[in-house]
Amino acid sequence: MNCGPASNSFILRDTEIVPLSEPAVCLNDAAIAQGHGLFETVKAYRGRPYALPDHLARMSRGADALGFKAPALDEAAASIRRVLEANGLEDSPTCRIRLTLTGGVESPSLFYEASACPFHPERAKVITGP
């Protein structure tokens, strides 16, 4: 079960909707060069992000530690709506939204990505080992 974005999907890079196939992060971005970046993954049900304030609070703590500014709740909610609409997922029963904050080249960059996720089965077999 692939839960990633389709190759023909769109992301929100800072404030611009761009095709996923378009290069989004430079090789000299601090996230690539030094590992300075963080992400949050949020599940959405029919276009409504679950526990978004909690996810943003956690992202804000990580961003503070890196010297970045995390998005405000209203900014994030609007950006999530935009990326869901761009990908036709605003009415999807369930989807995954990933917010990625990188150190950028000269200043931090913020990316939003959304992809459909299948429902997980109600039951599954588990095998444990030593």
Side-chain angles (χ1 to χ4, degrees):
M1 278 194 278
N2 182 6
C3 202
S7 60
N8 62 345
S9 62
F10 296 90
I11 63 169
L12 181 66
R13 179 180 57 207
D14 294 320
T15 60
E16 180 184 12
I17 294 285
V18 295
L20 178 66
S21 59
E22 184 176 302
V25 179
C26 295
L27 288 177
N28 59 343
D29 186 301
I32 304 284
Q34 292 108 14
H36 291 172
L38 57 107
F39 69 91
E40 273 294 319
T41 303
V42 181
K43 196 162 187 179
Y45 299 93
R46 301 218 183 279
R48 292 191 175 101
Y50 179 77
L52 186 58
D54 297 330
H55 286 282
L56 290 175
R58 182 172 44 237
M59 180 175 240
S60 185
R61 289 190 300 274
D64 287 347
L66 292 171
F68 301 159
K69 183 178 181 279
L73 179 59
D74 57 342
E75 174 193 340
S79 295
I80 288 169
R81 272 192 303 279
R82 285 185 66 200
V83 77
L84 288 173
E85 288 171 5
N87 289 290
L89 295 170
E90 63 271 23
D91 295 322
S92 176
T94 181
C95 64
R96 178 185 67 82
I97 302 157
R98 182 176 163 124
L99 288 72
T100 304
L101 184 57
T102 74
V105 176
E106 294 180 14
S107 63
S109 292
L110 181 60
F111 300 89
Y112 292 83
E113 175 261 306
S115 57
C117 282
F119 283 108
H120 294 289
E122 289 185 30
R123 299 191 309 164
K125 291 183 180 184
V126 176
I127 300 171
T128 62

